[in-house]
PDB file of all heavy atoms in Angstrom:
ATOM      1  N   TYR A 100     -37.791  18.913  30.366  1.00 49.00           N
ATOM      2  CA  TYR A 100     -37.127  20.197  30.028  1.00 49.00           C
ATOM      3  C   TYR A 100     -36.205  20.574  31.162  1.00 49.00           C
ATOM      4  O   TYR A 100     -36.550  20.640  32.394  1.00 49.00           O
ATOM      5  CB  TYR A 100     -38.160  21.259  29.927  1.00 49.00           C
ATOM      6  CG  TYR A 100     -37.646  22.700  29.751  1.00 49.00           C
ATOM      7  CD1 TYR A 100     -36.799  23.073  28.652  1.00 49.00           C
ATOM      8  CD2 TYR A 100     -37.724  23.601  30.764  1.00 49.00           C
ATOM      9  CE1 TYR A 100     -36.300  24.253  28.463  1.00 49.00           C
ATOM     10  CE2 TYR A 100     -37.260  24.867  30.627  1.00 49.00           C
ATOM     11  CZ  TYR A 100     -36.493  25.190  29.545  1.00 49.00           C
ATOM     12  OH  TYR A 100     -35.950  26.497  29.408  1.00 49.00           O
ATOM     13  N   ASN A 101     -34.922  20.809  30.847  1.00 51.00           N
ATOM     14  CA  ASN A 101     -33.890  21.199  31.825  1.00 51.00           C
ATOM     15  C   ASN A 101     -33.538  22.647  31.671  1.00 51.00           C
ATOM     16  O   ASN A 101     -32.939  23.034  30.595  1.00 51.00           O
ATOM     17  CB  ASN A 101     -32.562  20.331  31.582  1.00 51.00           C
ATOM     18  CG  ASN A 101     -31.490  20.726  32.655  1.00 51.00           C
ATOM     19  OD1 ASN A 101     -31.666  21.706  33.434  1.00 51.00           O
ATOM     20  ND2 ASN A 101     -30.478  19.885  32.760  1.00 51.00           N
ATOM     21  N   PRO A 102     -33.963  23.503  32.503  1.00 53.00           N
ATOM     22  CA  PRO A 102     -33.852  25.078  32.287  1.00 53.00           C
ATOM     23  C   PRO A 102     -32.321  25.445  32.369  1.00 53.00           C
ATOM     24  O   PRO A 102     -32.003  26.554  32.001  1.00 53.00           O
ATOM     25  CB  PRO A 102     -34.605  25.604  33.438  1.00 53.00           C
ATOM     26  CG  PRO A 102     -34.619  24.540  34.562  1.00 53.00           C
ATOM     27  CD  PRO A 102     -34.687  23.281  33.777  1.00 53.00           C
ATOM     28  N   PHE A 103     -31.403  24.658  32.876  1.00 48.00           N
ATOM     29  CA  PHE A 103     -30.078  24.974  32.950  1.00 48.00           C
ATOM     30  C   PHE A 103     -29.177  24.343  31.942  1.00 48.00           C
ATOM     31  O   PHE A 103     -28.017  24.466  31.871  1.00 48.00           O
ATOM     32  CB  PHE A 103     -29.515  24.543  34.344  1.00 48.00           C
ATOM     33  CG  PHE A 103     -30.224  25.101  35.523  1.00 48.00           C
ATOM     34  CD1 PHE A 103     -31.079  24.322  36.151  1.00 48.00           C
ATOM     35  CD2 PHE A 103     -30.055  26.423  35.902  1.00 48.00           C
ATOM     36  CE1 PHE A 103     -31.846  24.813  37.285  1.00 48.00           C
ATOM     37  CE2 PHE A 103     -30.712  26.973  37.002  1.00 48.00           C
ATOM     38  CZ  PHE A 103     -31.615  26.185  37.642  1.00 48.00           C
ATOM     39  N   GLY A 104     -29.811  23.694  30.924  1.00 52.00           N
ATOM     40  CA  GLY A 104     -29.042  23.139  29.905  1.00 52.00           C
ATOM     41  C   GLY A 104     -28.471  21.792  30.301  1.00 52.00           C
ATOM     42  O   GLY A 104     -28.774  21.176  31.320  1.00 52.00           O
ATOM     43  N   ASN A 105     -27.391  21.415  29.588  1.00 58.00           N
ATOM     44  CA  ASN A 105     -26.688  20.114  29.861  1.00 58.00           C
ATOM     45  C   ASN A 105     -25.923  20.228  31.180  1.00 58.00           C
ATOM     46  O   ASN A 105     -25.305  21.298  31.509  1.00 58.00           O
ATOM     47  CB  ASN A 105     -25.642  19.982  28.735  1.00 58.00           C
ATOM     48  CG  ASN A 105     -25.067  18.595  28.871  1.00 58.00           C
ATOM     49  OD1 ASN A 105     -24.190  18.452  29.742  1.00 58.00           O
ATOM     50  ND2 ASN A 105     -25.533  17.635  28.025  1.00 58.00           N
ATOM     51  N   ASN A 106     -26.077  19.210  31.987  1.00 64.00           N
ATOM     52  CA  ASN A 106     -25.409  19.257  33.331  1.00 64.00           C
ATOM     53  C   ASN A 106     -23.947  19.434  33.215  1.00 64.00           C
ATOM     54  O   ASN A 106     -23.380  20.110  34.069  1.00 64.00           O
ATOM     55  CB  ASN A 106     -25.744  17.982  34.130  1.00 64.00           C
ATOM     56  CG  ASN A 106     -27.175  17.847  34.571  1.00 64.00           C
ATOM     57  OD1 ASN A 106     -27.756  18.925  34.775  1.00 64.00           O
ATOM     58  ND2 ASN A 106     -27.698  16.613  34.784  1.00 64.00           N
ATOM     59  N   SER A 107     -23.312  18.858  32.220  1.00 67.00           N
ATOM     60  CA  SER A 107     -21.885  19.066  32.093  1.00 67.00           C
ATOM     61  C   SER A 107     -21.456  20.571  31.872  1.00 67.00           C
ATOM     62  O   SER A 107     -20.509  21.011  32.366  1.00 67.00           O
ATOM     63  CB  SER A 107     -21.330  18.192  30.976  1.00 67.00           C
ATOM     64  OG  SER A 107     -21.899  18.586  29.714  1.00 67.00           O
ATOM     65  N   ASP A 108     -22.417  21.209  31.055  1.00 68.00           N
ATOM     66  CA  ASP A 108     -22.143  22.645  30.891  1.00 68.00           C
ATOM     67  C   ASP A 108     -22.238  23.391  32.161  1.00 68.00           C
ATOM     68  O   ASP A 108     -21.447  24.421  32.421  1.00 68.00           O
ATOM     69  CB  ASP A 108     -23.164  23.192  29.838  1.00 68.00           C
ATOM     70  CG  ASP A 108     -22.893  22.659  28.445  1.00 68.00           C
ATOM     71  OD1 ASP A 108     -21.767  22.143  28.190  1.00 68.00           O
ATOM     72  OD2 ASP A 108     -23.915  22.678  27.664  1.00 68.00           O
ATOM     73  N   VAL A 109     -23.236  23.118  33.000  1.00 70.00           N
ATOM     74  CA  VAL A 109     -23.396  23.697  34.238  1.00 70.00           C
ATOM     75  C   VAL A 109     -22.258  23.451  35.182  1.00 70.00           C
ATOM     76  O   VAL A 109     -21.745  24.399  35.828  1.00 70.00           O
ATOM     77  CB  VAL A 109     -24.774  23.235  34.975  1.00 70.00           C
ATOM     78  CG1 VAL A 109     -24.766  23.825  36.397  1.00 70.00           C
ATOM     79  CG2 VAL A 109     -25.916  23.586  34.170  1.00 70.00           C
ATOM     80  N   ASN A 110     -21.736  22.250  35.202  1.00 77.00           N
ATOM     81  CA  ASN A 110     -20.606  21.919  36.088  1.00 77.00           C
ATOM     82  C   ASN A 110     -19.453  22.702  35.592  1.00 77.00           C
ATOM     83  O   ASN A 110     -18.522  23.141  36.380  1.00 77.00           O
ATOM     84  CB  ASN A 110     -20.365  20.454  36.076  1.00 77.00           C
ATOM     85  CG  ASN A 110     -21.427  19.600  36.728  1.00 77.00           C
ATOM     86  OD1 ASN A 110     -22.055  20.219  37.682  1.00 77.00           O
ATOM     87  ND2 ASN A 110     -21.608  18.353  36.432  1.00 77.00           N
ATOM     88  N   GLU A 111     -19.159  22.794  34.382  1.00 77.00           N
ATOM     89  CA  GLU A 111     -18.034  23.356  33.794  1.00 77.00           C
ATOM     90  C   GLU A 111     -18.050  24.900  34.129  1.00 77.00           C
ATOM     91  O   GLU A 111     -17.023  25.596  34.457  1.00 77.00           O
ATOM     92  CB  GLU A 111     -17.992  23.259  32.206  1.00 77.00           C
ATOM     93  CG  GLU A 111     -16.767  23.826  31.617  1.00 77.00           C
ATOM     94  CD  GLU A 111     -16.688  23.644  30.061  1.00 77.00           C
ATOM     95  OE1 GLU A 111     -17.411  22.757  29.527  1.00 77.00           O
ATOM     96  OE2 GLU A 111     -15.899  24.321  29.423  1.00 77.00           O
ATOM     97  N   ALA A 112     -19.263  25.520  34.047  1.00 78.00           N
ATOM     98  CA  ALA A 112     -19.493  27.032  34.305  1.00 78.00           C
ATOM     99  C   ALA A 112     -19.124  27.207  35.802  1.00 78.00           C
ATOM    100  O   ALA A 112     -18.438  28.188  36.174  1.00 78.00           O
ATOM    101  CB  ALA A 112     -20.796  27.489  33.948  1.00 78.00           C
ATOM    102  N   MET A 113     -19.688  26.273  36.721  1.00 81.00           N
ATOM    103  CA  MET A 113     -19.436  26.397  38.194  1.00 81.00           C
ATOM    104  C   MET A 113     -17.946  26.282  38.428  1.00 81.00           C
ATOM    105  O   MET A 113     -17.324  27.000  39.269  1.00 81.00           O
ATOM    106  CB  MET A 113     -20.220  25.435  38.845  1.00 81.00           C
ATOM    107  CG  MET A 113     -21.682  25.615  38.819  1.00 81.00           C
ATOM    108  SD  MET A 113     -22.718  24.311  39.664  1.00 81.00           S
ATOM    109  CE  MET A 113     -22.166  24.555  41.347  1.00 81.00           C
ATOM    110  N   GLN A 114     -17.285  25.255  37.809  1.00 80.00           N
ATOM    111  CA  GLN A 114     -15.831  25.100  38.020  1.00 80.00           C
ATOM    112  C   GLN A 114     -15.005  26.326  37.559  1.00 80.00           C
ATOM    113  O   GLN A 114     -14.079  26.739  38.200  1.00 80.00           O
ATOM    114  CB  GLN A 114     -15.326  23.893  37.264  1.00 80.00           C
ATOM    115  CG  GLN A 114     -15.869  22.561  37.939  1.00 80.00           C
ATOM    116  CD  GLN A 114     -15.524  21.367  36.997  1.00 80.00           C
ATOM    117  OE1 GLN A 114     -14.872  21.482  36.004  1.00 80.00           O
ATOM    118  NE2 GLN A 114     -15.901  20.234  37.593  1.00 80.00           N
ATOM    119  N   ARG A 115     -15.498  26.872  36.388  1.00 81.00           N
ATOM    120  CA  ARG A 115     -14.789  28.085  35.872  1.00 81.00           C
ATOM    121  C   ARG A 115     -14.929  29.260  36.854  1.00 81.00           C
ATOM    122  O   ARG A 115     -13.987  29.966  37.167  1.00 81.00           O
ATOM    123  CB  ARG A 115     -15.316  28.445  34.480  1.00 81.00           C
ATOM    124  CG  ARG A 115     -14.460  29.465  33.831  1.00 81.00           C
ATOM    125  CD  ARG A 115     -15.089  29.932  32.476  1.00 81.00           C
ATOM    126  NE  ARG A 115     -15.292  28.872  31.610  1.00 81.00           N
ATOM    127  CZ  ARG A 115     -16.529  28.332  31.209  1.00 81.00           C
ATOM    128  NH1 ARG A 115     -17.509  28.888  31.718  1.00 81.00           N
ATOM    129  NH2 ARG A 115     -16.522  27.345  30.402  1.00 81.00           N
ATOM    130  N   GLU A 116     -16.109  29.445  37.355  1.00 82.00           N
ATOM    131  CA  GLU A 116     -16.432  30.480  38.299  1.00 82.00           C
ATOM    132  C   GLU A 116     -15.578  30.322  39.593  1.00 82.00           C
ATOM    133  O   GLU A 116     -14.997  31.298  40.118  1.00 82.00           O
ATOM    134  CB  GLU A 116     -17.889  30.620  38.595  1.00 82.00           C
ATOM    135  CG  GLU A 116     -18.316  31.767  39.524  1.00 82.00           C
ATOM    136  CD  GLU A 116     -19.731  31.853  39.771  1.00 82.00           C
ATOM    137  OE1 GLU A 116     -20.564  31.036  39.220  1.00 82.00           O
ATOM    138  OE2 GLU A 116     -20.153  32.755  40.562  1.00 82.00           O
ATOM    139  N   PHE A 117     -15.596  29.069  40.110  1.00 81.00           N
ATOM    140  CA  PHE A 117     -14.869  28.794  41.324  1.00 81.00           C
ATOM    141  C   PHE A 117     -13.329  29.034  41.030  1.00 81.00           C
ATOM    142  O   PHE A 117     -12.627  29.642  41.947  1.00 81.00           O
ATOM    143  CB  PHE A 117     -15.025  27.279  41.704  1.00 81.00           C
ATOM    144  CG  PHE A 117     -14.212  26.891  42.940  1.00 81.00           C
ATOM    145  CD1 PHE A 117     -14.612  27.274  44.141  1.00 81.00           C
ATOM    146  CD2 PHE A 117     -13.034  26.144  42.713  1.00 81.00           C
ATOM    147  CE1 PHE A 117     -13.903  26.815  45.286  1.00 81.00           C
ATOM    148  CE2 PHE A 117     -12.354  25.744  43.812  1.00 81.00           C
ATOM    149  CZ  PHE A 117     -12.681  26.117  45.105  1.00 81.00           C
ATOM    150  N   TYR A 118     -12.824  28.701  39.957  1.00 83.00           N
ATOM    151  CA  TYR A 118     -11.373  28.851  39.568  1.00 83.00           C
ATOM    152  C   TYR A 118     -11.108  30.358  39.528  1.00 83.00           C
ATOM    153  O   TYR A 118     -10.069  30.811  40.092  1.00 83.00           O
ATOM    154  CB  TYR A 118     -11.096  28.223  38.256  1.00 83.00           C
ATOM    155  CG  TYR A 118      -9.801  28.631  37.619  1.00 83.00           C
ATOM    156  CD1 TYR A 118      -8.581  28.016  38.123  1.00 83.00           C
ATOM    157  CD2 TYR A 118      -9.638  29.571  36.589  1.00 83.00           C
ATOM    158  CE1 TYR A 118      -7.348  28.437  37.672  1.00 83.00           C
ATOM    159  CE2 TYR A 118      -8.441  29.910  36.117  1.00 83.00           C
ATOM    160  CZ  TYR A 118      -7.335  29.352  36.560  1.00 83.00           C
ATOM    161  OH  TYR A 118      -6.069  29.752  36.098  1.00 83.00           O
ATOM    162  N   ILE A 119     -12.023  31.175  38.954  1.00 86.00           N
ATOM    163  CA  ILE A 119     -11.773  32.642  38.782  1.00 86.00           C
ATOM    164  C   ILE A 119     -11.731  33.310  40.147  1.00 86.00           C
ATOM    165  O   ILE A 119     -10.912  34.091  40.519  1.00 86.00           O
ATOM    166  CB  ILE A 119     -12.843  33.318  37.877  1.00 86.00           C
ATOM    167  CG1 ILE A 119     -12.626  32.771  36.378  1.00 86.00           C
ATOM    168  CG2 ILE A 119     -12.743  34.748  38.025  1.00 86.00           C
ATOM    169  CD1 ILE A 119     -13.687  33.298  35.461  1.00 86.00           C
ATOM    170  N   LYS A 120     -12.614  32.840  41.040  1.00 89.00           N
ATOM    171  CA  LYS A 120     -12.700  33.362  42.327  1.00 89.00           C
ATOM    172  C   LYS A 120     -11.498  33.102  43.252  1.00 89.00           C
ATOM    173  O   LYS A 120     -10.927  33.914  43.935  1.00 89.00           O
ATOM    174  CB  LYS A 120     -13.940  32.835  43.111  1.00 89.00           C
ATOM    175  CG  LYS A 120     -15.256  33.521  42.695  1.00 89.00           C
ATOM    176  CD  LYS A 120     -16.444  32.996  43.432  1.00 89.00           C
ATOM    177  CE  LYS A 120     -17.783  33.652  43.074  1.00 89.00           C
ATOM    178  NZ  LYS A 120     -18.908  33.099  43.841  1.00 89.00           N
ATOM    179  N   GLN A 121     -11.051  31.788  43.053  1.00 92.00           N
ATOM    180  CA  GLN A 121      -9.817  31.398  43.750  1.00 92.00           C
ATOM    181  C   GLN A 121      -8.566  32.091  43.268  1.00 92.00           C
ATOM    182  O   GLN A 121      -7.719  32.564  44.030  1.00 92.00           O
ATOM    183  CB  GLN A 121      -9.569  29.877  43.644  1.00 92.00           C
ATOM    184  CG  GLN A 121     -10.621  29.039  44.438  1.00 92.00           C
ATOM    185  CD  GLN A 121     -10.567  29.367  45.897  1.00 92.00           C
ATOM    186  OE1 GLN A 121     -11.415  29.893  46.451  1.00 92.00           O
ATOM    187  NE2 GLN A 121      -9.500  28.801  46.541  1.00 92.00           N
ATOM    188  N   ARG A 122      -8.508  32.282  41.935  1.00 91.00           N
ATOM    189  CA  ARG A 122      -7.343  33.057  41.330  1.00 91.00           C
ATOM    190  C   ARG A 122      -7.343  34.457  41.734  1.00 91.00           C
ATOM    191  O   ARG A 122      -6.281  34.979  42.000  1.00 91.00           O
ATOM    192  CB  ARG A 122      -7.379  32.812  39.882  1.00 91.00           C
ATOM    193  CG  ARG A 122      -6.158  33.429  39.165  1.00 91.00           C
ATOM    194  CD  ARG A 122      -6.197  33.095  37.724  1.00 91.00           C
ATOM    195  NE  ARG A 122      -5.135  33.810  37.034  1.00 91.00           N
ATOM    196  CZ  ARG A 122      -4.898  33.886  35.777  1.00 91.00           C
ATOM    197  NH1 ARG A 122      -5.697  33.127  34.911  1.00 91.00           N
ATOM    198  NH2 ARG A 122      -3.918  34.576  35.243  1.00 91.00           N
ATOM    199  N   ALA A 123      -8.593  35.044  41.782  1.00 93.00           N
ATOM    200  CA  ALA A 123      -8.704  36.473  42.109  1.00 93.00           C
ATOM    201  C   ALA A 123      -8.231  36.634  43.645  1.00 93.00           C
ATOM    202  O   ALA A 123      -7.483  37.675  43.887  1.00 93.00           O
ATOM    203  CB  ALA A 123     -10.100  36.990  41.963  1.00 93.00           C
ATOM    204  N   LYS A 124      -8.583  35.777  44.453  1.00 94.00           N
ATOM    205  CA  LYS A 124      -8.185  35.787  45.802  1.00 94.00           C
ATOM    206  C   LYS A 124      -6.725  35.640  46.007  1.00 94.00           C
ATOM    207  O   LYS A 124      -6.059  36.363  46.766  1.00 94.00           O
ATOM    208  CB  LYS A 124      -8.901  34.665  46.633  1.00 94.00           C
ATOM    209  CG  LYS A 124      -8.587  34.657  48.130  1.00 94.00           C
ATOM    210  CD  LYS A 124      -9.365  33.541  48.852  1.00 94.00           C
ATOM    211  CE  LYS A 124      -9.088  33.590  50.302  1.00 94.00           C
ATOM    212  NZ  LYS A 124      -9.848  32.402  50.945  1.00 94.00           N
ATOM    213  N   LYS A 125      -6.127  34.755  45.198  1.00 94.00           N
ATOM    214  CA  LYS A 125      -4.646  34.590  45.214  1.00 94.00           C
ATOM    215  C   LYS A 125      -3.975  35.833  44.783  1.00 94.00           C
ATOM    216  O   LYS A 125      -3.024  36.268  45.348  1.00 94.00           O
ATOM    217  CB  LYS A 125      -4.287  33.350  44.378  1.00 94.00           C
ATOM    218  CG  LYS A 125      -2.780  33.067  44.427  1.00 94.00           C
ATOM    219  CD  LYS A 125      -2.497  31.901  43.513  1.00 94.00           C
ATOM    220  CE  LYS A 125      -1.022  31.641  43.397  1.00 94.00           C
ATOM    221  NZ  LYS A 125      -0.719  30.463  42.446  1.00 94.00           N
ATOM    222  N   GLU A 126      -4.447  36.439  43.647  1.00 95.00           N
ATOM    223  CA  GLU A 126      -3.761  37.670  42.992  1.00 95.00           C
ATOM    224  C   GLU A 126      -3.879  38.806  43.980  1.00 95.00           C
ATOM    225  O   GLU A 126      -2.847  39.525  44.213  1.00 95.00           O
ATOM    226  CB  GLU A 126      -4.390  37.977  41.750  1.00 95.00           C
ATOM    227  CG  GLU A 126      -3.996  37.009  40.572  1.00 95.00           C
ATOM    228  CD  GLU A 126      -4.516  37.549  39.239  1.00 95.00           C
ATOM    229  OE1 GLU A 126      -5.117  38.601  39.201  1.00 95.00           O
ATOM    230  OE2 GLU A 126      -4.405  36.764  38.247  1.00 95.00           O
TER     231      GLU A 126
END
């Protein structure tokens, strides 16, 4: 049982969050 779901989904969510933080910092 993987409580975080598919690893690719987790990585995608983390990448999205990182992208948003970087873009917010830039803006």
